[in-house]
DNA sequence: ATTAATAATTTAAACGATTAAACCATTATA
DNA sequence: TATAATGGTTTAATCGTTTAAATTATTAAT
């Protein structure tokens, strides 16, 4: 069962391939194709159920209508949310998404980008892996259109769509303070990722601006290799202080998840024993006994903006787009009044 | 910044494109390329950082090393799990995955398949949308290699990798019976999807084989348009009986999620007030106050098998592979002893 | 009846790879 | 010395489109 090609259609109608191509690409008017001929061509295309070979088209047009997407880990809520948003917006623009997950490994990240570039995607949307600055710089040099989402490198000027993590963390911390909390802990990853540092910074500044003297024991760090253990000991630490913390701010939803599991396990009540605030929500939290107050990233918007930025970039060459979005605080019942 | 092409490399080395191609494709021996020449070519490729254009290669080879994946809804745990497994197995075989979500709409399902076929994917992995039999038959006629996963149409003979839903539901129901439950409810979608019917059937047969007379009120149906409401009224119904049910078997994890939310809300205790068994687990359940007993689909294995089946299909033409996998029961604490 | 203008169509060269077949040197064999 | 065998390389067609340029057919103008 050989695939039908343009030439077959042309032969069937008794015209040249050029005419068929013109008609199929809406250039019938412009190339003044006879209306009758056009009709016959369309009829044949319909009858034969001809489908243009996009590969051949891509080769000739030097354009694939494909966007490569690299996420950090498909298991993150962020990843599925953003993927969904991107896929849907891309489809609206007749683009297809090919994607992969770096699983937080720089090597996989680089490899994925190479695969995508070799497949001649028109542009890339990237959630950068830790320490992948060099790769980003290379990409810039090569002129491949790309936009970073979520994570940025402040020392490299790129197009990006990200959250204003400083603002979000500041607002969250201040929310806790306004609710009367005096000793607020922060549990965050030990990492070089800028966006997580910004969350630290927002937390620190909010404390300072509200005249709360930060104690270093409040800041508990979690290593990527030992998430579960470190979250647990983090909680143990902040509750074991002479003056135990009265609230904990988890810097990512994953951290919150592990934290809540432990709190359930140890029958530590939220919010009576400790208030909980999460950076980013998750439907995972739905089954916790009380709704979790959290800041919420506008995933839909981020995805949409990312797609539109890449497309703009593809169509208009260099542009400059650095967009920082604000997070909303979704009030649950996990913070004591 | 023009992209480097094969011809440029050839010119740079001072040989024909054929030689470069041979060397790059591991045919140096076979085509007896001079070892020195081969070295010079490889050196140039390295220096110039030449990357073959996969589009051109695909066109010539009539092979894209791409698999199209259509899932039912990216929000399902099943979808992310299977996607991850497929992507990883595909990468191992040097295939790339392009994918999309039909959002349970037959129209989107058809559209996605068309997009993928036009892009000349080598094969498809499909979670079929409801009532998409015609499309599947068309695909078969067209000779496109594809494999169904999760959902099958018993009236069409296709390659598939699926769960033995009958067995899984039977085992789950029997598990409840063995634990001493006498009045077991089933909450399932009202649907034409075969795999969900199989779950009904497993439930019915298990009851029958254990001499439990089924009461029709035990079987609560949920419409796709009204999931939340219907689950709630389903629970109300089975608990409001003169002889209330002592256990409920949710036929999908989504149904379980909504059910548990409602149970929390109404302070109905699991498992004291009612035992809960879920078809398929989800890390979403981690934050429920007790671990949910559930049957577990082997996602990793399904994904792996699906990829390998498509690849086999691509390489060897027609094959016959109908694989039914068994589910395991993961024992939690949501069923009364 | 020519020529000019316009309408309709075809030709053929790309796009960037692969590869059968042809070609040209050497060296081995008769 | 002629011929065959082998090693090494190039030529050119091909995959299925698009499209500038050439060509032909038709109508209008002189």
């Amino acid at each position: 069962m050989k695939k039908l090609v343009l030439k077959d259609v042309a032969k069937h109608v008794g015209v040249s391939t050029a005419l068929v191509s013109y008609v199929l690409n809406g250039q019938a008017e412009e190339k003044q194709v006879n209306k009758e001929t056009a009709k016959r061509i369309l009829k044949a295309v319909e009858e034969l159920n001809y489908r243009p070979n996009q590969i051949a088209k891509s080769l000739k047009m030097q354009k694939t209508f494909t966007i490569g997407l690299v996420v950090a880990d498909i298991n993150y809520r962020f990843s599925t949310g953003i993927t969904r948003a991107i896929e849907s917006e891309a489809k609206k623009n007749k683009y297809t998404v090919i994607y992969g997950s770096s699983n937080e490994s720089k090597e996989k990240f680089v490899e994925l980008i190479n695969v995508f570039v070799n497949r001649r995607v028109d542009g890339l949307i990237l959630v950068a892996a830790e320490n992948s600055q060099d790769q980003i710089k290379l990409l810039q040099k090569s002129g491949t259109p790309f936009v970073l989402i979520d994570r940025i490198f402040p020392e490299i000027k790129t197009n990006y769509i990200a959250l204003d993590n400083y603002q979000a963390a500041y607002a969250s911390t201040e929310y806790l303070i306004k609710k009367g909390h005096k000793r607020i802990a922060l549990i965050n990853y030990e990492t070089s990722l800028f966006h997580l540092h910004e969350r630290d910074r927002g937390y620190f500044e909010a404390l300072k601006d509200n005249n709360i003297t930060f104690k270093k024991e409040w800041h508990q760090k979690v290593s990527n290799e030992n998430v579960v253990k470190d979250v647990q000991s983090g909680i143990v630490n902040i509750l074991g202080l002479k003056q135990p913390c009265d609230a904990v701010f988890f810097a990512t939803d994953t951290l919150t998840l592990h934290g809540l599991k432990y709190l359930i396990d140890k029958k530590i009540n939220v919010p009576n024993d400790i208030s909980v605030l999460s950076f980013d929500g998750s439907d995972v939290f739905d089954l916790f006994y009380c709704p979790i107050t959290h800041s919420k990233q506008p995933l839909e918007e981020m995805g949409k903006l990312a797609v539109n930025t890449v497309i703009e970039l593809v169509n208009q060459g260099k542009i400059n787009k650095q967009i920082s979005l604000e997070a909303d605080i979704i009030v649950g019942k996990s913070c004591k009044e």
Side-chain angles (χ1 to χ4, degrees), chain A:
Chain A
M1 192 143 359
K2 244 337 221 350
K3 269 260 172 212
L4 212 68
V5 302
L6 192 62
K7 211 194 267 185
D8 302 324
V9 178
K11 199 176 291 171
H12 187 263
V13 184
V15 295
S16 71
T17 60
L19 278 190
V20 180
S21 176
Y22 291 148
V23 170
L24 245 40
N25 291 297
Q27 307 186 52
E29 292 273 288
E30 185 189 339
K31 295 293 162 70
Q32 30 199 30
V33 177
N34 183 298
K35 294 230 167 89
E36 278 309 313
T37 317
K39 253 187 216 159
R40 275 162 54 221
I41 290 173
L42 286 173
K43 188 159 154 263
V45 165
E46 182 73 17
E47 275 175 14
L48 302 172
N49 191 32
Y50 163 72
R51 305 283 171 163
N53 182 324
Q54 297 298 327
I55 299 294
K57 189 165 187 162
S58 290
L59 177 60
K60 178 64 199 181
M61 305 291 268
Q62 300 286 75
K63 168 146 186 146
T64 55
F65 276 97
T66 308
I67 293 172
L69 167 64
V70 183
V71 298
D73 190 328
I74 187 71
N75 280 335
Y76 298 158
R77 288 316 287 179
F78 179 86
S79 300
T80 47
I82 204 79
T83 300
R84 188 185 165 79
I86 286 173
E87 202 241 323
S88 131
E89 183 68 15
K91 186 138 51 158
K92 273 187 208 147
N93 292 278
K94 302 209 172 302
Y95 276 75
T96 299
V97 176
I98 69 184
Y99 87 112
S101 165
S102 74
N103 298 333
E104 298 284 13
S105 137
K106 184 191 150 193
E107 285 68 34
K108 266 204 169 177
F109 181 71
V110 173
E111 190 195 321
L112 277 170
I113 291 181
N114 281 333
V115 169
F116 291 167
V117 168
N118 294 347
R119 285 179 172 251
R120 300 299 191 264
V121 295
D122 293 330
L124 292 165
I125 299 178
L126 306 172
V127 178
E130 200 171 352
N131 302 318
S132 58
Q133 288 92 325
D134 290 351
Q135 177 65 20
I136 301 298
K137 283 187 198 147
L138 270 179
L139 262 187
Q140 273 185 325
K141 227 174 248 171
S142 78
T144 316
F146 74 97
V147 55
L148 299 185
I149 52 173
D150 191 35
R151 304 173 177 184
I152 63 175
F153 298 110
E155 71 268 30
I156 313 180
K157 195 178 172 209
T158 62
N159 295 301
Y160 67 77
I161 317 289
L163 196 75
D164 184 341
N165 286 280
Y166 169 78
Q167 174 277 142
Y170 188 101
S172 299
T173 310
E174 196 154 54
Y175 173 86
L176 286 169
I177 297 170
K178 292 276 184 277
K179 287 280 165 189
H181 297 89
K182 304 284 183 215
R183 295 178 302 281
I184 301 169
L186 169 67
I187 298 191
N188 197 354
Y189 284 103
E190 175 133 59
T191 173
S192 68
L193 287 169
F194 177 71
H195 72 300
L196 294 181
H197 280 269
E198 284 290 277
R199 296 183 190 175
D200 285 353
R201 195 166 68 85
Y203 162 80
F204 290 136
E205 288 294 314
L207 290 184
K208 197 197 282 174
D209 290 354
N210 288 274
N211 302 311
I212 297 184
T213 325
F214 166 72
K215 298 249 163 42
K216 73 174 197 306
E217 297 82 20
W218 295 357
H219 187 193
Q220 294 291 327
K221 292 171 187 167
V222 174
S223 87
N224 249 310
E225 291 76 43
N226 243 321
V227 181
V228 176
K229 278 251 172 74
D230 288 357
V231 169
Q232 292 181 0
S233 58
I235 294 176
V236 169
N237 291 343
I238 59 175
L239 289 178
L241 296 173
K242 258 166 295 175
Q243 294 205 297
C245 289
D246 50 9
V248 55
F249 176 24
F250 291 101
T252 78
D253 52 353
T254 308
L255 293 174
T256 309
L257 176 64
H258 290 111
L260 293 180
K261 274 194 207 175
Y262 185 68
L263 293 175
I264 290 175
D265 210 44
K266 295 298 165 195
K267 303 211 190 313
I268 300 168
N269 186 268
V270 177
N272 292 328
D273 300 331
I274 191 164
S275 289
V276 166
L277 197 150
S278 173
F279 200 102
D280 233 344
S282 163
D283 53 4
V284 176
F285 302 160
D286 283 359
L287 293 181
F288 191 67
Y289 52 78
C290 79
I292 303 294
T293 300
H294 62 274
S295 62
K296 185 172 175 254
Q297 302 204 43
L299 292 187
E300 279 295 322
E301 201 185 347
M302 284 180 81
K304 212 168 178 167
L305 283 167
V307 171
N308 289 322
T309 306
V310 188
I311 294 181
E312 244 180 278
L313 216 46
V314 170
N315 294 335
Q316 302 165 33
K318 283 211 185 327
I319 58 168
N320 244 313
K321 214 167 228 179
Q322 282 84 30
I323 300 182
S324 288
L325 301 171
E326 303 240 317
D328 289 327
I329 292 186
I330 306 296
V331 175
K333 292 182 172 164
S334 63
C335 299
K336 223 172 181 170
E337 290 298 313

